[in-house]
Every structure is written in C-alpha cells, then in structure tokens.
Amino acid sequence: MNTYDPLVLTGIWLIIVTLLVQWGTAAAVKAKQPGAIPGKVPENSSHDSLVFRTHRTFMNSLENVPMFLLTVFFGMFLGLESEWFGYWVMLFAVARILHMVLYYAIATEKNPSPRSWFFVLGAVANIAVLVQCAMLMWA
C-alpha cells in the first residue's frame, strides 16, 4: 500500500466535505422558500437570489471538482510524490472554499467578480498537477 502526502489526503477530504456542504446548503436554502419545488430552481432568478447563488455554487463545483479529482487520482496512480503535489491539492481545496464563501456573500453580475480569482487559482492548481503528471510520465 502506498502512503500519500497528508496534504494530498487532507485536500481531497476538504474538497469532498466542501461539496457536501454546498449540496446541503443549496438544498436547505431552496427548501425554505415558499412553494419550493424539489429539483427546480425558480425561473428568472439571478445573483440577487441566495437560492440561485447556492445552487450555482454547487453546480460550479460539479463542473470543476471532478476534473481536478481525476487529475489528482491520475497523479496518485502514477506514483506522483512531491511536496508541490500536496500544495496544489490544498490550494485547490482552499480556493473552492473561498469561491463558495464569496459566491454566497456577494450578489453581483459583475464579471470578473471577486470569486473569479479563486476559480482561476483552482484552474492553475489543476494545470500544475497535470504538468507534474506529464513530467513524471515522460521523465
């Protein structure tokens, strides 16, 4: 059995917990709305609606987290063991948490919004791990 950097494992755990929090928050906020219909976000809602923002936060994570976790698991499969691997995983995890907090807190249609910077940090972390994987494969 391989042992992995505690930062990598902690980061994966944080990412999964963040998804769980986002799912629960989106479900709870929506369920509290009068006339809420399960599985349906109110039409014509936008960033001024907390229901919209919590739903979009969760959907955004569902769009980004699987790609990153596949990259991380690919790195683990390859036997990627570097201090930077752990740093990149933790950066992604923290960036997703800050993205979530800002999405919940700031109702803005402005693009880029403050949360965009944390989306970019997550994308950089994903690319960095992919580069580490490529370097290991072709070394």
Side-chain angles (χ1 to χ4, degrees), residues 32-137:
K32 290 180 182 178
Q33 300 302 304
I37 301 170
K40 185 172 180 188
V41 176
E43 290 183 31
N44 301 321
S45 62
S46 190
H47 288 88
D48 59 334
S49 164
L50 183 59
V51 171
F52 175 85
R53 292 194 317 273
T54 58
H55 173 74
R56 275 306 309 148
T57 301
F58 182 54
M59 291 295 107
N60 187 274
S61 287
L62 289 181
E63 294 161 0
N64 291 281
V65 168
M67 181 176 17
F68 184 72
L69 289 179
L70 282 172
T71 302
V72 169
F73 293 145
F74 182 57
M76 293 169 79
F77 174 77
L78 290 174
L80 178 59
E81 292 180 11
S82 80
E83 207 169 315
W84 278 99
F85 185 29
Y87 295 154
W88 293 122
V89 174
M90 286 302 294
L91 175 65
F92 184 89
V94 170
R96 292 309 304 167
I97 291 168
L98 293 172
H99 177 272
M100 172 184 71
V101 168
L102 288 174
Y103 217 151
Y104 290 171
I106 300 173
T108 182
E109 301 283 336
K110 183 181 167 192
N111 195 12
S113 73
R115 70 180 181 271
S116 300
W117 295 107
F118 297 100
F119 167 82
V120 169
L121 284 176
V124 167
N126 198 356
I127 292 165
V129 174
L130 280 171
V131 168
Q132 283 191 298
C133 289
M135 290 170 55
L136 182 61
M137 287 176 8

